[in-house]
Amino acid sequence: MARKRKSDGLPFTPAVFRWARARAGLDIDEAAGRLKIPVTNLTDWEDEDGQFAPTVKQARDLAELYGRSFLELFLPEPPDLPTPELIPDFRLYRNAENPTGTRELLEAQTWAETQRDNALDLYSEIGDEVPKISAEAFGTIESDAERLANLTRQLMQFPVVQQIGLQTNTERAEIPSLIRSKIETLGILTLRRSDLKRFGVRGFCVAKFPLPVIVFTSESPNAQSFTLAHELAHILIKQSAISSSIPKKGGDPRVRRIEEWCNTFAAAFLMPRQAVLARLRIPNEAQPSIPDDDLLEIARYFGVSSHAMLVRLVELKYVQESYYWDYKKAEFEKEEREFKSYGRPKFYGRRYSNSLGGLYTSLVMEAWSAGRLTNHNAAEFMGIKNLAHLHDIRREYGT
């Protein structure tokens, strides 16, 4: 196929191509390799005096790789945007001074903040007020995590009866989706990226208001529930963070205190004290252990992982702390690392709506249905190339 000459193609801007690649932290060889094109092609596209231009498909691939809007490539010059800085990294490692994936995590954060900017624009387009989290929901690490967790469930209209006692694995697997939708009712975007797991990241949040953002990764459904609740805690104390599991010792004491408080909030949110006490009688002295079958039974009742349930039982003085740290934690984390999902969406378009969440997707669908977005603009907001998938999503959302 003949290459498209610049004089015959769309008015892309080479300076913007160079800027977008640099902002994504890619050198020209790496970018060309990931796009599976000759380096000379990319060099020519970025050269003001180059002879050729990318096809529309190639330009869309560029925009996707760089985490930029396709329409940005038509700007006459690079936009004047502040240089992004990585949010605080709260990963705690016993034997690692420098956690990995800084560049990739900065790209993920930039992507998340772009979706937030898009959502704010969409609220403006459809004339709706941007939702704001109730002031009474905010706290600090000095706050009573149990009280704040109960109040948060009340604000999102999420009584514990909606969660406990689900009978089948299929029903319990839907709990993270339920929690995600409840979190979004507070005015929080929830996004999903499967690549975070490679860097030992369970989730991160950007505590910008209004419309803060939670990003979580691919874990077991039960682990996802805990991550969502943990990141929600970060939002409520207005602390952006990249989060992972907590080792028994080590790490910055301030960071450790924040992460431990957020874990306490998450456990109280998912397993409210009164609901646990209604199910179990707390002994006068913490037990040295708990049988795996008993732990699994109570975990299934609450629709959480055995890991999360044991953390909660340690907090409530039902089981000794040493049993968790010395015997079970490593076992749980090995299971979580090895978890693989084999599920497939019922239709291809759900891949995009699952990634971007119900709040964001509904905004796009509403603006599109109201004629505020063209077909191609709606697809651009959703990151979709095939318009058929966009129509699939609209049918799913009934707009």
Side-chain angles (χ1 to χ4, degrees):
M1 182 177 67
R3 294 174 64 191
K4 186 180 291 293
R5 292 191 172 274
K6 285 186 177 177
S7 58
D8 301 328
L10 294 171
F12 297 117
T13 307
V16 175
F17 284 167
R18 296 194 301 272
W19 166 84
R21 177 175 56 77
R23 193 173 176 89
L26 299 172
D27 64 38
I28 200 160
D29 291 318
E30 184 178 1
R34 290 174 64 174
L35 290 165
K36 299 181 180 179
I37 61 172
V39 174
T40 52
N41 284 20
L42 192 51
T43 302
D44 188 74
W45 298 344
E46 293 187 1
D47 188 344
E48 302 292 344
D49 298 321
Q51 300 180 47
F52 300 100
T55 64
V56 170
K57 180 184 182 306
Q58 288 171 329
R60 289 190 183 277
D61 290 342
L62 274 175
E64 183 176 352
L65 174 62
Y66 298 157
R68 309 309 310 174
S69 162
F70 173 70
L71 298 179
E72 273 187 329
L73 304 182
F74 296 94
L75 294 174
E77 59 185 24
D80 184 17
L81 299 178
T83 301
E85 294 184 5
L86 190 66
I87 58 178
D89 191 341
F90 279 21
R91 287 175 292 174
L92 296 170
Y93 287 79
R94 180 178 296 177
N95 300 314
E97 291 294 327
N98 298 306
T100 59
T102 298
R103 191 187 73 189
E104 292 85 355
L105 290 174
L106 183 55
E107 185 277 323
Q109 176 189 328
T110 301
W111 171 80
E113 295 197 43
T114 298
Q115 310 319 310
R116 175 179 179 269
D117 290 341
N118 288 345
L120 291 171
D121 287 343
L122 288 166
Y123 273 112
S124 178
E125 282 290 339
I126 62 180
D128 281 358
E129 184 176 350
V130 181
K132 294 180 175 62
I133 301 173
S134 173
E136 61 182 322
F138 292 109
T140 71
I141 59 172
E142 305 300 332
S143 301
D144 182 332
E146 190 86 37
R147 183 199 67 79
L148 194 61
N150 288 335
L151 173 61
T152 303
R153 289 192 76 122
Q154 292 172 26
L155 291 173
M156 59 174 61
Q157 298 180 25
F158 186 29
V160 72
V161 294
Q162 289 187 16
Q163 174 188 330
I164 62 176
L166 299 177
Q167 296 300 309
T168 68
N169 289 335
T170 300
E171 289 176 327
R172 289 190 288 268
E174 291 300 313
I175 290 178
S177 296
L178 175 60
I179 292 172
R180 185 180 185 183
S181 67
K182 292 295 185 180
I183 288 174
E184 292 195 327
T185 66
L186 297 177
I188 301 171
L189 280 182
T190 62
L191 310 174
R192 179 176 176 175
R193 284 185 64 120
S194 60
D195 57 344
L196 300 181
K197 192 174 181 181
R198 292 189 291 126
F199 309 109
V201 173
R202 301 187 69 167
F204 69 84
C205 68
V206 181
K208 291 185 176 181
F209 301 89
L211 213 62
V213 186
I214 288 173
V215 183
F216 64 102
T217 192
S218 298
E219 303 177 277
S220 70
N222 293 334
Q224 282 181 14
S225 295
F226 197 88
T227 297
L228 285 165
H230 178 98
E231 298 306 323
L232 173 59
H234 273 285
I235 296 294
L236 298 183
I237 60 172
K238 301 183 179 180
Q239 175 63 69
S240 300
I242 298 167
S243 304
S244 189
S245 61
I246 303 177
K248 186 175 182 179
K249 298 178 181 178
D252 184 315
R254 173 183 169 275
V255 169
R256 186 177 190 88
R257 189 177 178 207
I258 292 172
E259 289 297 86
E260 288 176 345
W261 188 91
C262 290
N263 273 355
T264 300
F265 173 95
F269 178 86
L270 293 170
M271 297 154 278
R273 178 184 179 86
Q274 291 305 315
V276 176
L277 295 181
R279 189 75 178 179
L280 288 176
R281 185 181 66 83
I282 303 299
N284 293 329
E285 293 185 2
Q287 302 299 298
S289 65
I290 180 173
D292 286 346
D293 287 346
D294 291 352
L295 181 63
L296 180 60
E297 187 275 330
I298 187 67
R300 283 179 172 169
Y301 176 75
F302 282 96
V304 299
S305 65
S306 293
H307 190 172
M309 195 69 240
L310 184 56
V311 168
R312 185 57 165 152
L313 293 179
V314 168
E315 289 175 354
L316 295 175
K317 311 299 184 187
Y318 185 92
V319 183
Q320 292 178 7
E321 187 176 356
S322 59
Y323 180 63
Y324 170 69
W325 287 106
D326 297 340
Y327 295 99
K328 299 299 291 185
K329 186 172 188 288
E331 175 188 322
F332 289 143
E333 291 184 343
K334 181 175 184 293
E335 291 174 356
E336 290 164 3
R337 285 194 303 272
E338 295 175 352
F339 172 79
K340 293 181 181 176
S341 173
Y342 298 99
R344 292 290 184 270
K346 293 179 182 178
F347 64 92
Y348 190 83
R350 185 169 290 175
R351 176 185 300 182
Y352 302 96
S353 57
N354 282 351
S355 172
L356 295 168
L359 177 56
Y360 183 97
T361 302
S362 294
L363 286 170
V364 175
M365 294 299 105
E366 184 175 349
W368 182 33
S369 296
R372 307 299 296 176
L373 296 178
T374 66
N375 290 356
H376 287 287
N377 283 344
E380 184 75 17
F381 272 108
M382 293 296 298
I384 289 175
K385 299 176 183 178
N386 187 334
L387 289 179
H389 301 321
L390 190 67
H391 289 282
D392 283 343
I393 294 173
R394 180 151 71 176
R395 283 190 292 271
E396 177 79 1
Y397 276 74
T399 57

